[in-house]
Structures are given as structure tokens and as C-alpha cells.
Amino acid sequence: EHKGPVFAPPYEPLPSKVKFYYDGKPMKLSPEAEEVATFFAKMLDHEYTTKDVFRKNFFKDWRKEMTSEEKSKITDLKKCDFTEMSEYFKAQSEARKQVKHERIANFRIEPPGLFRGRGDHPKMGMLKRRIRPKDIIINCSKDSKYPEPPPGTKWKEIRHDNKVTWLVSWTENIQGSIKYIMLNPSSRIKGEKDWQKYETARQLKKCVDRIRAQYREDWKSKEMKIRQRAVALYFIDKLALRAGNEKEEGETADTVGCCSLRVEHIKLYPESEGQEFVVEFDFLGKDSIRYYNRVPVEKRVFKNLQLFMENKEPEDDLFDRLNTSILNKHLQELMDGLTAKVFRTYNASITLQQQLKEITNGEDNIPAKILSYNRANRAVAILCNHQRAPPKTFEKSMQNLQAKIDAKKEQLSETKRELKSAKADLKVRRDEKCKKLVEGKKKAVQRIEEQLMKLEVQATDREENKQIALGTSKLNYLDPRISVAWCKKWGVSIDKIYNKTQRDKFAWAIDMADEDYEF
DNA sequence: GTAGGCACTTAGTACACCGAAC
DNA sequence: GTTCGGTGTACTAAGTGCCTAC
């Protein structure tokens, strides 16, 4: 779009505290002369300003902008001191760099298309409408400039609500739910909330024994409602199940969480594979990811489950006297801020910390330590049932890696043979050249062994990770201070664990935690 | 208690991107 | 220059949990 030429902004005089010195004395310049002087000051760090031609030309042109009074005073460039001006500009550009413009997470409005949904979704294929300016609510501070809507259109509303964090919202037509534009995870507001979340989970650590004792006691309660609550809480704690809010039938895929489990989702085995009181879970959870697990439970839990299932059809609720609201109300009484999801955060983070303590070996080299970290991370991902589809290229890339390992092994034995013969030569000849050769080969063997080890570690790591997604727990469940502390303790660079985006998101933790941080 | 509204976190997938290998 | 393979990011659906009105 042609808008005509854009002019440089007018010159803004320097603040009076920033002085130009001539012959050691401060001197106030006219605006015209000052402007040209600032050009020079801004370039002061560059080596051109030491070149005779540059200095001569600058001085000549500068004098043209001076008043006659200035011209008569300022006659020698060597006597000019621009350092204060230069410092000022440096400080300013530094300050500009420091100004944090909070990044926005999703600034593009979702485009129209056909709704897919996840799993067996009753609304798949429905048209997702185009969002227009008249659908958009903008939330900003009263004194801020908000963007104008495209010509000929209007925003739905301009709102100034500082109790919420969203910047833009609209209502989507498939479920009728509200969508938002919010800030990036690296923003102050999200970081503080994240921190708070982990602090609540640490609170739970302090009283989890008491809470566990209580729900075990409640397994014996006379009241059905309390028994159900206690068994559900046991599952949430032990198995890191989600709360399980009710969902409107026909609106979404049929998935469940703890409180919404149905009789058909569990099977009871008084005895199975040498274990007593085994419960088999098989249901679709969030995103229609299958949760399948066989767990031995306490006898009391088992008996209770039998009781809950009595005279029920498979499609009946297992916990018919319970929902998330009842459960959370109870949790709130046990600890301030406690809800079902806090157990997931707590159990994930505490597992990471315990696993790291258990499996990190101080003698290991860096790649082996990172493998230990990934294994600890993996234990959490398994607990939280974070799955992924095996990558399409998995088999192939695994084969390629194996080929690399074989080649490396071959190279290693070749180099070992060379070392042997070099040693033999040294015995016979005993000269400096042979000695050097032996040393060189020794080093080579060592280097190749290290490379081989690294490849083997990589292969193990990748194989173990085939169907497990580590990212979700890393991003949402693991107190980043545990990882930061671990890195500091074992001298592993933080960027081996967190990429740039993750470091930005967890900047608060990287700042905060030292090597003996305890979750 | 329950139904709906709202604001926020948590989730897996597709694909863009980039450096290394060819 | 092209292909390959791995990583990081964008996208947006799908949860949780709180609040209010009845």
C-alpha cells in the first residue's frame, strides 16, 4: 500500500545533564550543531572516527551547522569531548534492549475450516465459521491504544477488565465456547502463575501423609459418599488420574477421568498373575488417549469397588455419589488451594526428584547423566500416561542409528589393532616417533570409545521413548527448579535439558534455584 | 445440587525449518 | 543443489476448576 515518503523523526535535543566538553569545559551547543555532534558521538566506538579523512570531513561539515559564536570557539576537533554524549546513547540503546515487550502466545485468529476433534468426536466434519471483527472482544487498559478494526467493520466490544489476563476473545461455533488470545508462557503473568502452581504442590508435600491417612480411614466410613470419595482420591493420588468432570453427552468424544469412571472401565481380579486384588483399568482419557493399567490395590479398596459395582449396569457411574465438585470441596477443607489436579503436579514433581536422586551416577559422563535425566522424566511421563504416536520414521531412523553404531565398532577394533602394532613397533625401535604414534593411537581409541558410548546411549534413549511423550510433563508438571538444581549439582549445562523456549518459560526458576533446591 | 458461563492449563499432532549428508 | 532426519513451534482441542443463578 502506497502511503508516500516517510520522513525521519525531528531531532530531539539531549537532556541538559548530558554535556559536550570543549577544551575540558562544558559547553551548550545550538540544536543544529548538537544534532550533528550526536551523529559523531553515536559512531565514537567505530574506528572510522579515528581516520583523518573522516575527521576532516566531519569537522568541516559540522562547522557549517554551527552558529558564528560556536564557530569561533570550536576550532580544534582534538579538543572536543563527546564521551558523555556517547555514554548516553549507549545507555539508551541498552535500556531499549531491556524493555520487555511481553510476547503473545497465539496472535492469529483461528481460520475457518472443518472441525476434526480428537478421537470419536460426534461433531467431526462440522463447519468452523470464519471469525469477523464483529465477533471480537478486545480487552485492554483504559488508556491504551487498541487496533482499529478493518475499514467498514466494528469490534464487538472494547473492554477494560484487569481481573483477567486475556487480550482478545471470541465465541467459537462448534461447542459455543470462548477462545482467547493470551500471553506467552515466558510472560511475567504466566510465569508467576506457574510458580504459584508448584508452590501449592509443595504445600501438598507437607500434608500428604495426613491426607493419605485420612482417606485410608474413610475407606471404612459408614457413608457411601465418603467411601467413594476416599477410593477416588486414592486413585487420583496413586495413579495420577485426572479429576474427571462430567461432560455433555453428544457434544464431545466419550472420554472419562477418575470421578466419571463407569463400571465398564474397570475389571476386578481377586487374584491375577500371583498378585492379590488386582484392578484392571481400561478407558479413554483426555484426547481419547487410552489408559490401560493393571494395579494391585489394598484389600479394602478392592472390597469397596465390589460394593460400588453391585447391581449396576456396565454403563453406570462407578462413583455414583461423587463428582469433581464434591471432591474438590473436600480437598479444599484439607488444605488451602488443594484440588484434584494438584496431586498430579505433586506426584510428577516428587517422582522426578526421587528418580534423579536414585539413578544419577556422579561418575558418569555428561551423555550418560542426560540419559538418567531422560529416564527420570520418562518415569513421570509413564505415570501421567503421556503418550504419542510412534514417529512414522521410527523404524528407519533406528536402523540408521544401528548402522552408525556398527560402523563405529568396526572403526574401534581397527584403531585398537593399530595401537597394538604401534606398541609392538615401540618395543623394537624405542624412538620418539614410535612413542608419539602409540600416544596418538591411545587417544584415538579413547575418543572412539566415547563416541560409541554416546551413540549407544542415544539408541537406548530413543528406543525407550518410542511411544512416550516427554514434553508434556516437562512443560506442565515438573517443577523446573528440580531440573535446574540437578544441572547445577552435576555440572550439566541447562541447555542440555531445556531448549531456548523452555529456558524462557522457566527463566524464573533458572534465576531462583541453586543446587540444593528441594521440591 | 445443578446447569451454564467463564478463564485458565494441559495436550498431541502437523509441519516448518535447519543443518548434515549425499 | 537436493534429500534426509531431527527439532522446535504453531495450532487448537480438551481438559480443570471456580463462580453465579436458580
Side-chain angles (χ1 to χ4, degrees):
Chain A
E1 199 186 342
H2 182 69
K3 287 184 176 162
V6 179
F7 294 98
Y11 177 67
E12 278 184 46
L14 289 171
S16 53
K17 60 171 198 260
V18 183
K19 300 229 159 52
F20 163 74
Y21 296 86
Y22 188 71
D23 208 6
K25 291 186 202 78
M27 182 176 166
K28 176 78 193 150
L29 294 172
S30 65
E32 292 76 15
E34 188 186 83
E35 183 180 10
V36 178
T38 62
F39 299 154
F40 193 78
K42 284 178 186 173
M43 297 170 95
L44 215 56
D45 278 349
H46 210 286
E47 70 165 295
Y48 335 123
T49 56
T50 62
K51 298 216 186 274
D52 288 344
V53 179
F54 190 97
R55 293 176 73 87
K56 208 180 102 208
N57 284 331
F58 158 67
F59 197 57
K60 193 171 150 200
D61 280 1
W62 187 26
R63 283 174 57 82
K64 287 182 199 158
E65 304 296 321
M66 290 178 186
T67 61
S68 48
E69 198 187 333
E70 285 167 341
K71 235 187 232 173
S72 62
K73 260 195 180 166
I74 304 171
T75 53
D76 183 359
L77 183 55
K78 277 196 218 102
K79 291 184 179 169
C80 295
D81 179 359
F82 301 95
T83 49
E84 207 165 280
M85 290 163 92
S86 165
E87 293 302 319
Y88 169 74
F89 290 119
K90 265 188 237 164
Q92 254 202 340
S93 90
E94 200 48 44
R96 256 197 304 273
K97 267 184 227 159
Q98 290 299 314
V99 171
K100 282 246 182 58
H101 292 284
E102 295 278 39
R103 292 181 59 204
I104 287 166
N106 53 326
F107 48 83
R108 251 190 284 269
I109 299 292
E110 294 174 21
L114 300 183
F115 180 79
R116 174 59 189 87
R118 314 224 170 110
D120 205 353
H121 203 294
K123 296 195 170 183
M124 64 170 88
M126 280 174 65
L127 172 65
K128 186 166 126 170
R129 247 188 48 230
R130 179 178 293 276
I131 301 303
R132 305 194 181 275
K134 66 172 172 32
D135 303 315
I136 295 288
I137 304 173
I138 291 188
N139 187 37
C140 60
S141 54
K142 274 193 182 135
D143 56 355
S144 69
K145 266 194 234 159
Y146 56 84
E148 286 299 322
T153 65
K154 278 186 175 164
W155 300 128
K156 181 175 179 183
E157 189 190 333
I158 303 292
R159 195 181 287 187
H160 312 292
D161 183 354
N162 62 4
K163 300 282 179 289
V164 296
T165 69
W166 54 268
L167 311 170
V168 171
S169 74
W170 71 92
T171 302
E172 149 272 356
N173 70 302
I174 303 288
Q175 316 280 354
S177 66
I178 308 169
K179 298 270 189 155
Y180 303 92
I181 290 184
M182 290 190 190
L183 291 174
N184 192 273
S186 63
S187 63
R188 197 213 81 221
I189 214 158
K190 294 286 184 192
E192 279 175 3
K193 284 213 165 186
D194 210 30
W195 176 27
Q196 224 172 61
K197 175 180 79 186
Y198 292 113
E199 287 307 303
T200 308
R202 291 174 87 198
Q203 283 302 111
L204 175 55
K205 185 190 177 189
K206 290 184 198 155
C207 57
V208 73
D209 290 339
R210 188 191 88 219
I211 290 170
R212 284 173 178 161
Q214 157 116 227
Y215 68 60
R216 297 172 73 90
E217 202 52 38
D218 287 346
W219 291 340
K220 298 181 261 178
S221 171
K222 278 177 288 190
E223 229 181 305
M224 187 58 143
K225 189 175 147 181
I226 293 179
R227 284 194 186 209
Q228 291 194 357
R229 197 179 70 192
V231 171
L233 185 51
Y234 168 73
F235 286 160
I236 284 171
D237 183 22
K238 184 184 172 75
L239 305 173
L241 299 189
R242 294 187 186 82
N245 283 312
E246 292 105 302
K247 305 168 74 183
E248 223 175 317
E249 218 182 314
E251 291 292 305
T252 58
D254 178 21
T255 63
V256 296
C258 185
C259 294
S260 51
L261 279 171
R262 299 192 296 262
V263 170
E264 61 195 330
H265 295 133
I266 64 167
K267 278 194 188 128
L268 303 181
Y269 299 94
E271 210 247 287
S272 167
E273 292 166 7
Q275 291 175 310
E276 278 189 312
F277 310 122
V278 171
V279 183
E280 183 185 73
F281 292 83
D282 193 354
F283 62 89
L284 297 182
K286 181 176 179 180
D287 293 300
S288 295
I289 297 290
R290 185 178 178 205
Y291 182 92
Y292 179 82
N293 200 2
R294 292 168 69 95
V295 267
V297 300
E298 321 247 343
K299 183 173 177 185
R300 272 227 163 76
V301 171
F302 195 85
K303 294 285 169 199
N304 270 319
L305 289 169
Q306 283 178 324
L307 180 68
F308 304 159
M309 289 163 82
E310 248 171 40
N311 304 317
K312 279 188 192 166
E313 299 299 320
E315 62 274 18
D316 288 342
D317 284 340
L318 176 64
F319 302 114
D320 54 300
R321 309 282 172 90
L322 185 70
N323 60 39
T324 53
S325 160
I326 295 170
L327 178 65
N328 280 334
K329 221 171 257 166
H330 170 64
L331 293 175
Q332 190 58 239
E333 284 163 14
L334 297 179
M335 186 196 108
D336 201 31
L338 187 61
T339 62
K341 82 194 267 283
V342 178
F343 281 88
R344 249 167 105 80
T345 312
Y346 160 72
N347 278 309
S349 287
I350 202 78
T351 302
L352 178 76
Q353 187 171 78
Q354 282 164 353
Q355 286 286 308
L356 285 177
K357 245 182 218 163
E358 212 172 295
I359 64 185
T360 311
N361 179 359
E363 316 276 281
D364 276 350
N365 59 14
I366 299 285
K369 280 188 182 135
I370 293 168
L371 176 66
S372 299
Y373 180 89
N374 286 339
R375 282 191 166 145
N377 191 169
R378 194 142 49 231
V380 176
I382 290 167
L383 175 71
C384 294
N385 199 39
H386 290 141
Q387 298 191 29
R388 62 167 185 175
K392 288 190 189 84
T393 53
F394 186 84
E395 286 308 327
K396 207 178 154 214
S397 79
M398 214 55 203
Q399 277 169 11
N400 288 349
L401 191 56
Q402 194 52 50
K404 269 190 192 172
I405 290 173
D406 294 343
K408 196 52 78 180
K409 278 183 180 161
E410 183 51 43
Q411 191 192 352
L412 181 63
S413 45
E414 177 63 32
T415 315
K416 276 185 175 165
R417 272 197 296 278
E418 287 166 12
L419 172 64
K420 214 172 171 183
S421 90
K423 274 183 178 165
D425 279 355
L426 180 62
K427 260 193 184 157
V428 182
R429 308 241 304 271
R430 299 228 157 261
D431 63 3
E432 207 46 39
K433 199 176 152 199
C434 285
K435 211 171 168 184
K436 266 204 179 132
L437 190 67
V438 168
E439 283 311 307
K441 289 293 166 195
K442 263 188 191 165
K443 278 207 178 115
V445 166
Q446 214 174 18
R447 199 181 59 237
I448 294 164
E449 272 175 344
E450 254 168 45
Q451 288 167 341
L452 177 62
M453 157 107 154
K454 216 170 164 176
L455 285 172
E456 281 176 333
V457 161
Q458 203 185 348
T460 313
D461 207 21
R462 201 182 295 176
E463 184 63 46
E464 290 177 358
N465 238 10
K466 186 176 177 181
Q467 295 191 70
I468 299 164
L470 298 186
T472 306
S473 50
K474 206 179 207 177
L475 240 41
N476 300 302
Y477 289 103
L478 301 176
D479 183 342
R481 290 169 294 185
I482 299 168
S483 303
V484 171
W486 180 85
C487 283
K488 287 187 177 164
K489 180 164 181 190
W490 300 108
V492 177
S493 149
I494 196 87
D495 48 13
K496 297 272 189 245
I497 301 298
Y498 291 140
N499 66 31
K500 178 76 174 74
T501 314
Q502 292 163 341
R503 289 196 299 276
D504 286 344
K505 168 167 175 163
F506 297 133
W508 59 272
I510 295 171
D511 253 17
M512 198 186 282
D514 54 27
E515 67 165 78
D516 31 59
Y517 173 77
E518 273 277 328
F519 172 76

